[in-house]
Amino acid sequence: MTTCATETATDAVRRAGFTIAADGSYAACLAARGDGDDWYPERWTLDGPEPYTVPLPGNQPEDPDSQVLPLPDGRVLIRRRVADRHDFALLYPTGPGTGTLPLGSTEGEEVRLLPPPVSGEALALTYDGTTSHVWLVHGGEGLQRLAEVPGRCAGGVWLDRTGRMLALDQEVEGRTKTVAVDVRGGGKATPLLQITEDSNDRLLLAEPDSGLLVVRSDAPGDERLGWGVLGSRRPVRFPETLRLPDATLMPFAAQPGQMLMPEACGVALRVEAPQGTSLAVWRPGERRPATWLTGPEGWLPGAGLWTAKGVLRLPYACVHCPCGVVDYDAPAPVLPEAPPVPDGPGPSDEPAPSPVLPLQKAPLAAAGRMSAGS
């Protein structure tokens, strides 16, 4: 769990699990003041004239392992561990107090909420020791199991804007590959990303408009970031510009609206290095280092969204502003005239060592399909 401490006029506020709704309207996190363990849910309103926060404390402090998820209607969904089960409930402000609407419970060794889809629904991923399950926990008539996937699954990336195609990183016999799960079509899981038989391949981010996929794989010999295109047979690329010594790069937002132009799609990267946390913007079609940006004081690292107008929005909280959002107009792309992804290796890109297996009869009519190599 990543936490961020921000100074107010009287004490420090720690925040963890900051999540933004898919439409950018609200955000939610767990917050605690000082060094205590009195965690409580906190909602951020982001689409008004000025951002503001609303605390949603319950009758007792929250466990720091609880999860919260903002909904487009302003309510906050919370997952709590209670004995051997996990309870789901909706929280909302009611004057000076917090209203609660129970939704149901699930069991499992591991239970966590999945990233919010644009549809405004909420889904959870559970693991019972042998099988992973995808549940609809809000948006239907009670809890509904939508899919079963053998093995332990992690990650969770939406491949479309309808909330139908979900990518999960499936671990089986010590290897991790990404599968696409049709959560609205019977829960069928289809291989999506497999660079080599022995490599561990994970999908970190997808941008449905452009089809851009950002992956992490050890296929090149060590774990590196690469990119491909959903529906393309070109190889996954591992740019040298994303290979930084003593630093870990994690994509957290991609620019929408770049229809069928993945090479022009901006990707916001959280960079963790011994010197601290920093921020960079990278575009697949540019054969140059990422553009480094100065994040705002009190930035909640790894939190942010990219609007359709090309504005990168980053939430922050500091002594000068306990709740704020800063907007960046990302630099315009500088792309070569030639196709940015040649059939052979380029001077700064390394292809995957072998082709990704193409999907066979995958239900990806709307989202396309991923292959890496012909």
Side-chain angles (χ1 to χ4, degrees):
M1 178 176 65
T2 301
T3 62
C4 177
T6 56
E7 296 294 329
T8 67
T10 57
D11 56 7
V13 177
R14 291 175 293 152
R15 292 181 170 89
F18 196 93
T19 304
I20 302 176
D23 65 353
S25 55
Y26 294 95
C29 63
L30 292 180
R33 294 187 177 276
D35 296 328
D37 293 326
D38 293 339
W39 292 95
Y40 59 89
E42 181 181 72
R43 188 193 72 185
W44 288 46
T45 298
L46 302 178
D47 62 351
E50 293 185 2
Y52 64 92
T53 64
V54 175
L56 296 171
N59 296 327
Q60 62 185 31
E62 301 292 345
D63 188 289
D65 290 331
S66 297
Q67 275 186 287
V68 291
L69 193 75
L71 301 178
D73 62 9
R75 294 181 292 181
V76 173
L77 189 146
I78 187 168
R79 174 198 58 80
R80 299 181 174 112
R81 177 185 286 276
V82 181
D84 294 332
R85 70 179 192 274
H86 294 257
D87 291 352
F88 302 95
L90 293 177
L91 308 178
Y92 52 93
T94 56
T98 301
T100 302
L101 177 63
L103 297 176
S105 303
T106 61
E107 297 180 352
E109 293 182 7
E110 302 174 18
V111 179
R112 64 181 179 84
L113 297 175
L114 288 166
V118 175
S119 61
E121 298 169 324
L123 292 88
L125 181 66
T126 69
Y127 175 62
D128 61 12
T130 59
T131 306
S132 297
H133 308 267
V134 178
W135 295 83
L136 178 67
V137 298
H138 170 67
E141 298 180 359
L143 269 64
Q144 302 176 30
R145 184 160 52 191
L146 302 179
E148 297 184 11
V149 183
R152 179 181 180 271
C153 289
V157 176
W158 292 104
L159 299 174
D160 59 10
R161 299 202 182 280
T162 66
R164 175 174 180 175
M165 299 307 305
L166 175 68
L168 295 173
D169 298 328
Q170 178 191 35
E171 180 182 342
V172 177
E173 298 181 352
R175 299 294 179 194
T176 300
K177 307 293 182 185
T178 303
V179 296
V181 182
D182 186 354
V183 297
R184 299 301 183 187
K188 182 179 180 181
T190 310
L192 180 70
L193 178 65
Q194 178 174 305
I195 298 180
T196 72
E197 290 186 3
D198 296 330
S199 60
N200 293 290
D201 313 311
R202 297 174 173 86
L203 179 63
L204 304 182
L205 181 146
E207 207 303 297
D209 291 344
S210 63
L212 175 68
L213 302 181
V214 182
V215 309
R216 189 185 301 279
S217 174
D218 58 10
D222 56 351
E223 277 210 350
R224 293 175 56 181
L225 285 187
W227 70 282
V229 181
L230 194 64
S232 171
R233 290 186 175 274
R234 295 186 182 275
V236 173
R237 315 300 297 187
F238 293 93
E240 284 294 328
T241 55
L242 297 182
R243 193 177 192 180
L244 302 181
D246 302 322
T248 301
L249 281 65
M250 176 59 69
F252 65 87
Q255 182 180 4
Q258 306 299 299
M259 301 302 295
L260 304 179
M261 295 178 60
E263 68 279 357
C265 183
V267 178
L269 301 167
R270 171 185 175 180
V271 184
E272 294 287 352
Q275 299 79 10
T277 301
S278 53
L279 170 70
V281 172
W282 164 79
R283 298 179 192 272
E286 296 180 349
R287 300 194 172 213
R288 63 177 185 176
T291 301
W292 295 89
L293 301 177
T294 300
E297 179 185 358
W299 175 44
L300 304 174
L305 63 90
W306 218 311
T307 71
K309 296 181 179 180
V311 176
L312 179 62
R313 311 199 74 202
L314 302 178
Y316 70 96
C318 63
V319 64
H320 307 293
C321 180
C323 173
V325 176
V326 64
D327 291 346
Y328 289 82
D329 290 321
V334 179
L335 304 178
E337 294 183 2
V341 186
D343 291 333
S348 61
D349 287 350
E350 296 180 9
S354 70
V356 170
L357 298 179
L359 290 176
Q360 299 296 331
K361 300 181 181 179
L364 287 172
R369 67 176 185 175
M370 168 94 186
S371 173
S374 57

